[in-house]
Amino acid sequence: MRTLFINIKELIQIREASVSFLAGAEMKELPTIKNAFLLVENGIIADFGKMANCPTFSVDEIIDATGKMILPSWCDSHTHIVYAGNREGEFVDRINGLSYEEIANNGGGILNSANKLQETSDEELYQQSKVRLEVVIKLGTGAIVSKSGYGLSAAADLNMLR
């Protein structure tokens, strides 16, 4: 399947020239190509560039993206997607003015999260994390680095990594 997106207002996080490393102030830039095209073949970006340079392609579908922006994929380089349960109640407590110390004294906080994780089976951790991962994929994440560490023990962190 070949899909050609044309007349893209801005193709975001795409550079016309390839770079292998960015650091410092360079990372503040959000590169875009204005008035762009994007060719996708079987779910993989095959070509892109300015509309003025768009070659003639034999495609299955053309999508006119006039007035629209496209971000091909997001890379989340730091997330803790593997955990047990959630801490939504603690977030509400913080909004309502409770300190981290007060939340911990009420049974919340990182120690509570670590205990929940240690009590949760590999299979249940997998199922909870799978749901979270499917959500972020639908929101445009194409690559993810999942961090461990919330188990607060080597055994719990190995459980997370499995």
Side-chain angles (χ1 to χ4, degrees), residues 4-120:
L4 178 62
F5 296 83
I6 59 170
N7 303 316
I8 303 165
K9 179 179 179 179
E10 280 188 88
L11 188 54
I12 302 169
Q13 197 59 19
I14 297 290
R15 289 178 167 81
E16 293 185 59
S18 179
V19 294
S20 60
F21 179 79
L22 294 174
E26 294 172 314
M27 295 178 68
K28 291 181 182 179
E29 298 174 26
L30 180 62
T32 69
I33 300 175
K34 295 182 184 338
N35 192 23
F37 75 90
L38 174 70
L39 177 66
V40 177
E41 292 182 4
N42 300 317
I44 297 174
I45 295 172
D47 200 1
F48 63 89
K50 293 183 178 186
M51 273 305 297
N53 302 327
C54 183
T56 303
F57 295 107
S58 171
V59 297
D60 300 298
E61 180 179 18
I62 296 176
I63 297 174
D64 187 346
T66 298
K68 309 250 185 327
M69 297 182 198
I70 294 179
L71 173 67
S73 182
W74 184 256
C75 177
D76 187 339
S77 61
H78 185 124
T79 186
H80 296 269
I81 207 153
V82 180
Y83 56 89
N86 66 62
R87 295 173 73 177
E88 292 171 4
E90 295 175 29
F91 183 70
V92 172
D93 288 343
R94 287 292 292 154
I95 290 171
N96 290 325
L98 270 65
S99 68
Y100 288 117
E101 183 179 8
E102 290 170 314
I103 291 168
N105 289 338
N106 291 336
I110 185 66
L111 295 177
N112 180 50
S113 295
N115 288 336
K116 283 184 183 175
L117 185 124
Q118 292 168 8
E119 295 166 358
T120 304

